[in-house]
Amino acid sequence: MNGLLKFITCGSVDDGKSTLIGHMLYDAKLIFTDQEESLVLDSKVGSRGGEIDYSLLLDGLMAEREQGITIDVAYRYFTTDKRSFIVADTPGHEEYTRNMAVGASFAELAVILVDASQGMLTQTRRHTRICSLMGIKHFVFAVNKMDLIDFDEKRFKKIKKTIKILLAEFDYESAEVIPVSATDGDNITSLSDRTPWYKGKSLLSYLETVDVQKSDNENGFTMPVQRVCRPDHTFRGFQGQIETGEISVGDEVVTLPSNEKAKVKSIIDAGKNVDFSEKGHAVTLQLDKEVDVSRGCVLVKDAKPEISSLFTAKILWMDDTKLVAGKNYMLKIGTKSIPAVVMKIKYKIGVNDGSELTANEIFKNEIAVCDISTSEKIVFDKFETNQALGSFILIDRISHMTSACGVVEHALRRSDNLTWHDMDISRDQRAAQKNQTPKTIWFTGLSGSGKSTIANEIEKRLFTEGYHTMTLDGDNVRLGLNKNLGFTESDRIENIRRVAEVSKLMNDAGLIVITSFVSPYRRDRVRAKEIIGYDNYIEVYVSTPLSECEKRDVKGLYKKARSGKIPNFTGISSPYEPPKKAHIVVDTSNLTIEEAADKVYDKIKTLL
Amino acid sequence: MGNMTHLDELEAEAIYIMREVVAQCEKPVMLYSIGKDSSVMLHLALKAFYPEKPPFPFLHVNTTWKFHEMIEFRDKIAEKYGIEMLEYINEEGVKQGINPFDHGSAYTDIMKTKALKQALDKYGFTAAFGGGRRDEEKSRAKERIFSFRNSEHAWDPKNQRPEMWKLFNAEINKGESVRVFPISNWTEKDIWQYIKRENIEIVPLYFADVRPCIERDGNIIMVDDDRLKLRDGEKIEYKKIRFRTLGCYPLTGGIESDAQTLDEIIAETLSAVSSERTSRVIDSDGGSASMEKRKREGYF
């Protein structure tokens, strides 16, 4: 037995991946009879008109069977006399590339299908690139549909040459090219007499014998801590899986990032006390003294991972929402989860030839190299050196989608990295960091119309939902910034101008601003809109009629104005010019605060 | 992986996954179905957290139609290991007299799927461990280890979160939950070999013995109590049978077998000509996509 082999099949859509694996399982008698019956039955109702469609063995989802394509990665388990296998059959459609990457992250070897009649397609190249990115070092290229090109050796050799050229870009340990026909079964489990010129092994026999043992590169001991086990006050153990190296009772370990030294007092390996353990084992380590260690810390011996908050990484973007530099994500690396920002997109990688292309945004299924900054120093390593400490995912903080996966290329020091100092942080980046679109919500209306009450309620709701907000109203502006202004027409104009300028600054800072001012003159509001920006300004007209406002007269201002004690009072001794095209109009005469706020809030949510 | 065997690797992977859940999820629970996979899961949980007890309760959704030996076994195990074993029964369904004979697939829906959802909601569990394996069935073969469920407990197979390396994304919003399958990569053979290696206790129904049974619709059904009404032409026979999977006795087909030891079971499994789920009557009800349909609706 050669031990377990985890491999994937990938390649472009319709290259016959599922058929290849299905046929291999079928020929090697590795499927149970009920599956075989179901296969024959499914084929009859399927699209191949009664002939056995081997792909149905793997395409397990209803949508996949209906559309005749693979959407998500399927895992199959089989054992021959020589070896046990887990195969991940992955989708070929570009849209489902991320599911292909899921399979690749799990595999030691990739079987990449190439359609002999079409040669190397963009998607074949993309898949090879992703396999390499995810850490695969062993490749088999199955040149499929050889029956369609009459098993022509020349054309096979031509394809083989393009494969070798592509492979030259990557760091790999083994690569084999095999001519096959997945539907007819040539060179799948036994050599075909239709390819007498082919001197290699059949696909299955190659897979049974290929050696994928990692060449041990003398790693020290590393164990990321998953959790602290504390059943009672006498026991405190650190639980995790040993990622590299070995450990014995009595060894001295260093805790990172706290950098303390302690000796291993006991090792529990899957429930049993042992004196020694090594790579791959899930253990609990007890140390001989109290150390500052919790989940996300790393215990090491003779290993020196990086401790930094800045690194360069190669990522695969998987989210429908594009990547913009400056946006804040949750980064998970090893067992550590920490807020992180993609500081700079250095370049994206051309799918076909690996060229470096300048880019400000990265879209779904694109590969890019970026600089990433974490909110605190973390322990990590190059992916090449330590897969567990060098691979990470980025999680969207609102949708919780796994937006990207990536591998660490190298650490950066603040001193040798000038990007941060040179970078002008833009309005978009500040907004992206807060996961929101900054807007100014401008409430206008008569005194007593209910502006401030609704504005206050709206801010509370936005705040509860996690938005970053600020309210500007008479109370916090008139007493400070605009202390020197009165109520004359020119002072009122200046008052509104200053409020608009402050709103703009706060929008630039990424905040959603809510203003509540009578702002009676149309031209002043137009000017405010010009200052704030047409796209950022949302006007809410609280249209409660004068009679109702005067009836309420909460502050007794109307009474004073009527008796002439307040000059230039809007509605009484000074005009109010209602907006012609407010985004939202609400009359509070017959509504409760909640009802009015609901109405405004629902509309605002569509505009944010 | 040094000198680790295939089983060592699977064990370490499952333990890693269980610890990740406990470290990251607010309120986990382990579904306990009393079957062999649950026995393995419990065994792994005891190992994963040792010397601490598993820091979560176990939940058995009881349809009231389980083999009586299963319930006895469950209670014995809970006491032996001092674990918290919750039982949930859909009392509404019991009141309505829902049973596997008269109600077919509605029975599974009400007493299993609905009952499970009710139980998860009742206790507010945010993560539920299940013993599902990818080799069992085609739609299971496609499921992630951390499988995200919306507030209705529904699975969206077309839009699963990517799951890379061993980096499990456990982030959820209020009301949402994850189902976690630590033994996804085990096969039936692995389960049996591990049970043998670790000397894990399992329900005696897995071993062949002479049992009262009838033949119905091509399945051998054990007569576990007098609620099973005989149809015309059916008569109780005593046959040497065992079960490859365990569930509700009227829905679980036995197989004729002489396998009375783990070695004999393993030998039988290795030479088996049909996959284990064929002995579960519910799966073939609705064609090859029936499991996916139930899973979309919240079935485990």
Side-chain angles (χ1 to χ4, degrees), chain B residues 262-287:
Chain B
L262 285 171
D263 282 326
E264 285 163 1
I265 288 176
I266 291 168
E268 207 178 82
T269 306
L270 288 184
S271 62
V273 290
S274 50
S275 60
E276 63 184 318
R277 279 205 165 260
T278 43
S279 55
R280 217 173 257 189
V281 182
I282 50 168
D283 276 352
S284 51
D285 184 6

Side-chain angles (χ1 to χ4, degrees), chain A residues 269-296:
Chain A
D269 188 341
K272 286 188 208 88
N273 275 286
V274 293
D275 294 329
F276 168 86
S277 191
E278 61 186 325
K279 181 178 174 174
H281 290 255
V283 295
T284 303
L285 299 187
Q286 224 185 337
L287 302 181
D288 69 343
K289 64 177 190 211
E290 287 284 313
V291 285
D292 178 15
V293 170
S294 56
R295 176 174 168 82

Side-chain angles (χ1 to χ4, degrees), chain A residues 418-590:
Chain A
L418 298 169
T419 35
W420 183 247
H421 306 285
D422 286 353
M423 192 167 92
D424 289 327
I425 300 166
S426 68
R427 174 191 165 109
D428 285 350
Q429 285 164 337
R430 290 193 193 90
Q433 190 191 39
K434 295 178 181 61
N435 279 309
Q436 63 185 27
T437 315
K439 299 269 183 188
T440 294
I441 304 166
W442 190 281
F443 282 81
T444 173
L446 293 169
S447 174
S449 60
K451 292 184 304 296
S452 296
T453 314
I454 300 173
N456 191 24
E457 185 64 25
I458 296 298
E459 185 179 23
K460 272 194 252 170
R461 293 189 188 188
L462 288 171
F463 187 86
T464 314
E465 283 202 33
Y467 288 99
H468 301 258
T469 57
M470 179 66 194
T471 296
L472 298 176
D473 58 20
D475 289 344
N476 61 12
V477 173
R478 280 272 178 196
L479 297 177
L481 178 68
N482 291 356
K483 207 158 47 176
N484 61 335
L485 300 178
F487 288 90
T488 62
E489 190 172 334
S490 65
D491 277 4
R492 281 173 174 242
I493 292 168
E494 177 60 10
N495 183 41
I496 295 306
R497 188 191 70 79
R498 289 186 194 175
V499 169
E501 289 287 0
V502 171
S503 298
K504 178 179 180 283
L505 288 173
M506 286 184 169
N507 281 165
D508 285 348
L511 298 175
I512 292 171
V513 179
I514 297 158
T515 68
S516 175
F517 294 90
V518 177
S519 45
Y521 306 122
R522 199 168 292 131
R523 62 182 148 80
D524 289 350
R525 293 193 301 263
V526 169
R527 237 175 101 207
K529 191 196 250 181
E530 283 166 1
I531 292 167
I532 291 162
Y534 280 70
D535 292 338
N536 307 321
Y537 178 90
I538 302 172
E539 195 167 74
V540 183
Y541 173 34
V542 184
S543 64
T544 316
L546 177 65
S547 54
E548 176 67 22
C549 298
E550 193 167 357
K551 201 165 79 195
R552 290 179 187 167
D553 203 10
V554 196
K555 298 178 188 162
L557 295 173
Y558 283 97
K559 210 168 168 191
K560 284 187 190 161
R562 286 284 182 204
S563 63
K565 285 181 191 150
I566 307 176
N568 300 325
F569 192 79
T570 306
I572 308 296
S573 45
S574 176
Y576 179 83
E577 302 169 4
K580 283 179 181 152
K581 267 200 253 166
H583 293 85
I584 304 166
V585 182
V586 61
D587 179 345
T588 64
S589 314
N590 299 309

